[in-house]
Amino acid sequence: MTGLPHSVPVPPGYRVGSWEVREPLASGAFGTVYAGRHTGGAGAGRPREVALKFLPTGTHTPRRLRHLREMAEREVELLRRLRSPRLIRMYDALTVDDPDRPELDGATVLVLERAEGSLDALLRRTPVPGSGPALLAQICEGLHQLHRAGWVHGDLKPANVLLMKDGSVRLGDFNMAAELEGTHAYAPAFATPDYTPPELLWPEYGERGRRTRPTADIWAFGVLTHLVLTDTHPLPGGSAEARCDAAVRYARGTEELRLSPGLPEPWREIVTACLAPTHERRAGLGSAALLRRVERAAGTVRSPRLPRLRPRAWRRPVLVITLAGALLGAAATVTYTSLRDDGPTYGYHRCPPDSVCFFSEEFGMGRMCSWQGDDPDWLSGDETCGWTRDHPVKSIFNNGVEAEGRGGVAYYRGRDFTPAGVDRTRTMRRTGCTSMRQQGNLAGSYAPLSHRWVPNC
């Protein structure tokens, strides 16, 4: 942490609201992240252990302070407005009121979901991780969620890809994020050179910053993909400065990409498309189309909302139920997905928005059943969730949308939301409960047969 410009030193034990600062987790030019603990225990929707991101205001010039404040405000605005499975979750935003500490007084503090580490740290330990393709699929999904909501990340790089305890991915650090106004957004005049497209390396700046577009994130994803899969950069040079010069020559047509021979062919096509030398040539590759290509290359499967069996050699069809509008008595919609011969289907990211999903394997793997409403009997009718007849639930993702009376999902071993067996001895009289936007493995042998949305867990 020491020696980094503009980092925010905060002593262990310092209190901000109901949170206590603990050890530093990461530091950069525009803030420092500390581990934090809730001094009153975990509250509704708030875990006890979090990350506290301090964005500074003290000891800077008025112009610098205004810029830092604007960066903090844009990050808070994005995190308050967007709730997506691939974006880090914000629980609160606080302002330090401590005149005795001018370096902290007025600082913005974001109370964030705590990650286990970053992709940057993973790549330092394992330069070409075996989980790289699956991680890239989730990173791309996060970009798609941002772009679909009308935002540009603006600083996609390994340090800003966060890895959660369950192995899933979140995008974080939205200091440079910008909301689109038509075809452009206006971002701060900063960038990480290795992940910046040629047209933005030396752009013109106006009062509102530099103009940027989603194609800047597409370029960054191409660089990141090449790095994750090969441990090398796609442009020549032994330093970031040299690689920037190569990017400019590449855009002018006097330099070529230096893609690694170890890059598999499907990924080679993806990286080449992402690294088209101009915005205009990248503009045809939107995040939705890119996500489809990345998922095919990674061998992952998206939401079971697709109304057909996936192509190639897929076997063992699995029934997946979506009870759209079940609270209103709507009929169940039955769609089908499949498991591959070479292992379970991957990922919590398959869970549709505004749904709760139960999985047959840990970490969102294997067979899945999803609902948007309550279900008093998983085994009624047309095999509503047939695999739970003789197989326990191993993981869950509550991907619901926050609404009055819907803070969590309770699940029961009996039908009609009743306890059964061991549940009768539990205080809560239910097998379990998962709060909104939470996901994870279930300990023990969970065998629920009904579930209902509840105000809180």
Side-chain angles (χ1 to χ4, degrees):
M1 183 175 120
T2 58
L4 287 173
H6 312 300
S7 62
V8 187
V10 184
Y14 188 80
R15 298 289 182 89
V16 181
S18 58
W19 304 95
E20 179 183 270
V21 174
R22 303 182 70 81
E23 72 276 7
L25 300 176
S27 190
F30 304 106
T32 303
V33 181
Y34 293 86
R37 175 175 293 177
H38 197 272
T39 56
R46 296 185 183 184
R48 182 172 173 79
E49 304 291 336
V50 297
L52 300 175
K53 182 176 182 178
F54 282 76
L55 302 172
T57 59
T59 65
H60 293 292
T61 65
R63 182 176 180 181
R64 180 72 168 171
L65 290 176
R66 183 174 65 253
H67 186 72
L68 290 171
R69 184 166 57 251
E70 289 173 354
M71 292 174 66
E73 288 172 352
R74 72 173 63 230
E75 182 160 13
V76 170
E77 177 70 9
L78 184 149
L79 290 171
R80 278 180 173 160
R81 288 171 54 182
L82 303 185
R83 293 292 182 92
S84 299
R86 294 287 162 253
L87 308 184
I88 200 72
R89 183 181 183 187
M90 183 179 74
Y91 301 110
D92 205 354
L94 308 169
T95 300
V96 176
D97 182 11
D98 192 349
D100 293 335
R101 291 181 178 271
E103 74 282 4
L104 288 178
D105 189 39
T108 298
V109 182
L110 307 185
V111 183
L112 302 169
E113 188 177 17
R114 181 170 174 178
E116 288 294 300
S118 69
L119 179 60
D120 186 52
L122 174 63
L123 295 178
R124 287 198 299 268
R125 297 192 306 269
T126 310
V128 183
S131 58
L135 293 175
L136 289 168
Q138 294 188 51
I139 295 167
C140 190
E141 186 178 14
L143 274 189
H144 177 53
Q145 290 166 358
L146 272 176
H147 291 182
R148 185 174 55 186
W151 288 78
V152 179
H153 188 285
D155 197 22
L156 180 66
K157 58 185 179 182
N160 293 339
V161 175
L162 304 177
L163 307 181
M164 310 309 289
K165 188 174 183 178
D166 61 13
S168 63
V169 165
R170 304 280 195 280
L171 300 188
D173 201 336
F174 301 103
N175 287 336
M176 309 298 176
E179 189 172 13
L180 287 168
E181 301 175 19
T183 60
H184 290 78
Y186 295 87
F190 298 96
T192 303
D194 265 328
Y195 299 89
T196 302
E199 68 270 14
L200 293 182
L201 287 171
W202 287 277
E204 294 183 3
Y205 295 104
E207 288 187 4
R208 302 180 61 192
R210 66 176 184 177
R211 296 206 308 174
T212 186
R213 292 166 285 205
T215 54
D217 287 343
I218 300 294
W219 172 280
F221 181 78
V223 175
L224 187 147
T225 296
H226 195 273
L227 184 67
V228 167
L229 297 179
T230 69
D231 190 31
T232 62
H233 287 272
L235 286 161
S239 67
E241 182 178 8
R243 289 188 289 271
C244 283
D245 290 341
V248 173
R249 294 194 303 272
Y250 169 61
R252 293 172 179 167
T254 59
E255 181 68 77
E256 295 182 353
L257 295 176
R258 304 289 179 88
L259 301 186
S260 168
L263 189 65
E265 189 57 38
W267 291 103
R268 181 176 295 271
E269 295 174 359
I270 289 170
V271 170
T272 301
C274 289
L275 299 184
T278 64
H279 154 73
E280 290 75 17
R281 290 177 59 180
R282 266 175 270 128
L285 182 64
S287 60
L290 176 60
L291 179 57
R292 290 193 293 270
R293 294 176 66 171
V294 167
E295 287 177 329
R296 286 196 296 268
T300 60
V301 181
R302 293 190 69 198
S303 160
R305 289 171 292 171
L306 294 175
R308 58 180 175 80
L309 290 171
R310 294 182 68 84
R312 296 180 295 179
W314 296 76
R315 300 179 185 174
R316 292 186 291 138
V318 177
L319 189 64
V320 177
I321 303 298
T322 301
L323 295 186
L327 286 174
L328 300 178
T333 300
V334 182
T335 58
Y336 289 85
T337 185
S338 303
L339 289 179
R340 295 181 61 174
D341 282 340
D342 55 356
T345 307
Y346 182 87
Y348 290 113
H349 66 280
R350 294 178 288 150
C351 186
D354 197 22
S355 301
V356 60
C357 299
F358 297 86
F359 304 88
S360 65
E361 306 298 335
E362 293 182 338
F363 304 110
M365 305 281 277
R367 290 168 286 183
M368 179 185 83
C369 289
S370 68
W371 292 269
Q372 289 186 322
D374 301 343
D375 190 348
D377 187 352
W378 288 8
L379 299 179
S380 65
D382 297 325
E383 293 294 318
T384 304
C385 194
W387 57 264
T388 59
R389 187 187 303 277
D390 53 14
H391 192 289
V393 170
K394 295 293 187 66
S395 54
I396 180 176
F397 179 20
N398 184 348
N399 194 19
V401 175
E402 293 183 6
E404 185 175 356
R406 285 169 57 112
V409 170
Y411 29 103
Y412 306 80
R413 290 178 185 269
R415 296 176 172 86
D416 297 314
F417 323 123
T418 59
V422 68
D423 293 338
R424 295 194 180 96
T425 67
R426 297 182 182 225
T427 303
M428 299 299 291
R429 296 178 65 81
R430 60 193 182 200
T431 297
C433 189
T434 299
S435 298
M436 195 72 68
R437 313 296 297 157
Q438 297 298 303
Q439 59 183 218
N441 298 328
L442 296 177
S445 179
Y446 279 73
L449 288 178
S450 62
H451 75 272
R452 74 192 319 172
W453 294 86
V454 294
N456 59 68
C457 290

